[in-house]
Amino acid sequence: MNTSASNSTNSTNPLFALVDVNNFYVSCERVFQPKLEEVPMVVLSNNDGCAVARSAEVKALGVKMGTPWFQMQDLAKKHGIKAYSSNYTLYGDMSSRVVQVLKTFTPNLEVYSIDESFLQIETVLKQYQDTIELGQIIKQQVKDTTGLPVCVGIGASKTLAKLANHLAKKHKQFAGVCDVNAMAKPELYQWMSETEVGEVWGIGKQIAKKLKAQKIQSVFDLLQTSPQAMRQQFGVVMERLCYELRGVSCLQLEEVAPAKQQIIASRSFGKLVTSQTELAESVATHAARAAEKLRTQNSTTGALTVFIQTNPFKQNEPQYHQSITIPLADPSDNTLTLTNAALAGLKQIYQTGFRYKKAGVILNLISDKPTLQQSLFEDIESKGKSAHLMKAMDDINLRFGNAVIRSAAAGTNSSKQDWQMRSGNKSPNYTTQWDELPVVR
């Protein structure tokens, strides 16, 4: 059935594949520690707070996403649940490696998130027997190259591809690859009837609740509903989703991610902070990270906001939450310029007598650098030197590790900064640090 349906697909009609890494953070840890296969495990959020990734074994125990680690202690002891701190450097690099594999199949690719990518595949189908064969080859190639397991969902729209990926993950008979475009209508409608409406891409909990109140319980129920009626109640996005479920592609592939209009760099502290010196180090670190993100998307910022806050959950302690926006005379992407502005802002809002839990930097008024209007009095030579300095910093940090080169304001010994977030059980940066490379004995 799959073969005939897939081969009959008109090459002019779009066909999408969603490739999604299974339990991404957990799978990244298991690649370098095979002993963790089939071991119940979670990856924790910043400061080892809540579960942000759960293995299939932990999900089977009923642990929900976002469950605080301290609430899982009894369950962890009973079932031997392992907990790992988030290792975003490792996860980011592994994500890039998956994308590089996917680009060997088609250049028409959208990186939707750290663990998901959409591929437009109608133009490459003639190289394969059918879509299922292509999906299985993609699945095996990613596994062989990166060690990560993926599922592939295929459909005539991005929403249907997302639905197909959900089916591929939940039902073993698909063997990790599902093509809803190749299904006969009765079979597709049956799967839609068995899938809750909240599983449709773009429908959150609140909208799902409102839909169910109108007796729209399943994906099939939504399919039968008038798109125009849904637009009147929920807006144009819902109307597009309804058409997408009918196989009408309304959401195009975004091959280049749009530049962010706001960049936030912020972390909770590993311990409560009282001194301005420690706050300054954290704010300088956040300013540097935000500036690096700004340069990555080739933008500049015209204003910067600094904020600090105490722990709102400690009601028995004095509370303080303050922020200030510092406008820049000239839009910039220079780490030193942004750091100086951030520290000037911190100096104005810092108050003694409080124990601070969090600080951060927000970049506003972001502009595209190539189209930025030049100032009549701008020092072109100085600006050129600034650009060369920032490029050198970025190149060195990319090659030798994050923050190898940083401003002195961010601290001269990062290993002794108590304000850094807790990561009591973080795995090594296996793929990005020479001294942390995995060793085969």
Side-chain angles (χ1 to χ4, degrees):
M1 179 184 67
N2 287 341
T3 301
S4 60
S6 297
N7 287 338
S8 64
T9 299
N10 189 325
S11 61
T12 61
N13 294 330
L15 193 62
F16 299 92
L18 176 64
V19 182
D20 186 2
V21 183
N22 303 338
N23 305 321
F24 180 60
Y25 291 177
V26 168
S27 295
C28 286
E29 300 291 351
R30 285 175 167 173
V31 166
F32 300 97
Q33 300 188 72
K35 64 181 181 182
L36 295 175
E37 289 290 342
E38 300 184 2
V39 172
M41 61 177 292
V42 295
V43 175
L44 303 175
S45 61
N46 295 342
N47 286 313
D48 294 344
C50 304
V52 293
R54 304 155 294 155
S55 68
E57 296 80 10
V58 170
K59 292 178 182 178
L61 294 174
V63 176
K64 303 297 183 183
M65 178 70 80
T67 301
W69 174 238
F70 75 88
Q71 292 182 3
M72 298 169 54
Q73 296 304 303
D74 291 341
L75 195 67
K77 291 178 181 178
K78 182 177 180 180
H79 296 280
I81 299 175
K82 302 290 185 183
Y84 279 79
S85 306
S86 296
N87 187 342
Y88 298 117
T89 301
L90 174 65
Y91 308 150
D93 186 68
M94 292 297 286
S95 175
S96 297
R97 291 168 187 254
V98 172
V99 170
Q100 292 306 312
V101 175
L102 299 181
K103 285 181 177 178
T104 64
F105 291 92
T106 174
N108 302 321
L109 179 146
E110 173 190 340
V111 180
Y112 177 66
S113 67
I114 193 170
D115 59 345
E116 297 175 284
S117 291
F118 284 103
L119 285 67
Q120 200 161 340
I121 60 173
E122 71 274 3
T123 59
V124 299
L125 278 180
K126 61 183 179 181
Q127 305 174 37
Y128 305 94
Q129 179 180 348
D130 55 31
T131 53
I132 300 300
E133 181 191 39
L134 171 59
Q136 289 293 345
I137 291 174
I138 290 174
K139 183 170 174 279
Q140 192 62 48
Q141 190 66 31
V142 173
K143 180 69 173 179
D144 291 345
T145 306
T146 68
L148 295 171
V150 302
C151 284
V152 182
I154 300 169
S157 68
K158 291 167 73 174
T159 302
L160 284 174
K162 190 82 170 175
L163 174 64
N165 191 278
H166 169 77
L167 296 176
K169 279 189 172 183
K170 297 296 182 182
H171 303 284
K172 292 183 179 180
Q173 61 261 49
F174 292 111
V177 178
C178 174
D179 179 7
V180 295
N181 197 56
M183 290 182 180
K185 291 296 184 186
E187 181 185 3
L188 174 59
Y189 293 161
Q190 182 61 39
W191 283 116
M192 286 182 164
S193 298
E194 296 175 4
T195 306
E196 289 191 5
V197 70
E199 296 296 341
V200 175
W201 184 38
I203 294 182
K205 291 183 179 180
Q206 294 303 316
I207 294 180
K209 186 176 180 180
K210 292 178 181 179
L211 290 173
K212 290 180 180 180
Q214 300 180 33
K215 301 189 183 304
I216 303 175
Q217 303 283 342
S218 69
V219 178
F220 185 64
D221 293 335
L222 183 59
L223 180 73
Q224 293 181 302
T225 305
S226 165
Q228 291 77 17
M230 289 293 98
R231 176 173 182 162
Q232 290 178 355
Q233 295 185 65
F234 301 101
V236 67
V237 173
M238 176 64 81
E239 180 187 28
R240 289 172 181 168
L241 291 181
C242 290
Y243 280 120
E244 288 250 318
L245 286 176
R246 289 162 170 74
V248 179
S249 178
C250 302
L251 305 174
Q252 301 303 309
L253 205 66
E254 293 184 6
E255 296 181 30
V256 178
K260 294 180 180 179
Q261 297 305 301
Q262 186 182 70
I263 294 176
I264 302 175
S266 174
R267 289 281 171 83
S268 296
F269 302 137
K271 72 175 187 67
L272 296 178
V273 169
T274 58
S275 76
Q276 186 176 353
T277 299
E278 288 182 295
L279 281 175
E281 287 185 354
S282 71
V283 166
T285 300
H286 296 322
R289 190 164 72 249
E292 187 174 324
K293 292 179 180 179
L294 193 66
R295 292 191 294 273
T296 298
Q297 68 177 41
N298 203 21
S299 299
T300 60
T301 181
L304 174 150
T305 299
V306 181
F307 68 88
I308 54 177
Q309 68 180 60
T310 53
N311 190 341
F313 297 104
K314 290 186 176 291
Q315 296 295 332
N316 59 326
E317 294 190 5
Q319 297 293 312
Y320 181 72
H321 183 183
Q322 190 58 270
S323 65
I324 187 171
T325 298
I326 307 296
L328 303 178
D330 294 307
S332 177
D333 63 358
N334 185 290
T335 294
L336 302 181
T337 300
L338 300 185
T339 298
N340 288 334
L343 293 178
L346 174 65
K347 187 175 181 180
Q348 294 183 56
I349 63 175
Y350 173 73
Q351 292 287 331
T352 60
F354 296 98
R355 301 208 302 163
Y356 295 97
K357 177 62 176 176
K358 190 175 185 179
V361 171
I362 304 172
L363 303 186
N364 306 302
L365 301 180
I366 293 177
S367 304
D368 185 22
K369 192 173 183 179
T371 60
L372 183 67
Q373 183 175 353
Q374 302 296 316
S375 168
L376 179 63
F377 304 103
E378 192 167 24
D379 186 343
I380 302 299
E381 182 179 355
S382 176
K383 195 162 187 176
K385 291 180 179 178
S386 170
H388 288 308
L389 175 61
M390 293 302 102
K391 185 179 187 307
M393 283 181 58
D394 292 341
D395 289 346
I396 292 171
N397 287 333
L398 179 64
R399 180 174 181 181
F400 295 103
N402 184 42
V404 170
I405 299 294
R406 60 183 184 275
S407 68
T412 56
N413 190 350
S414 60
S415 64
K416 293 185 178 181
Q417 292 174 319
D418 291 337
W419 56 265
Q420 293 277 16
M421 71 175 186
R422 291 192 303 271
S423 53
N425 195 21
K426 187 176 79 69
S427 56
N429 295 324
Y430 296 107
T431 62
T432 56
Q433 292 287 99
W434 285 108
D435 57 348
E436 297 181 20
L437 291 176
V439 177
V440 178
R441 301 183 186 280

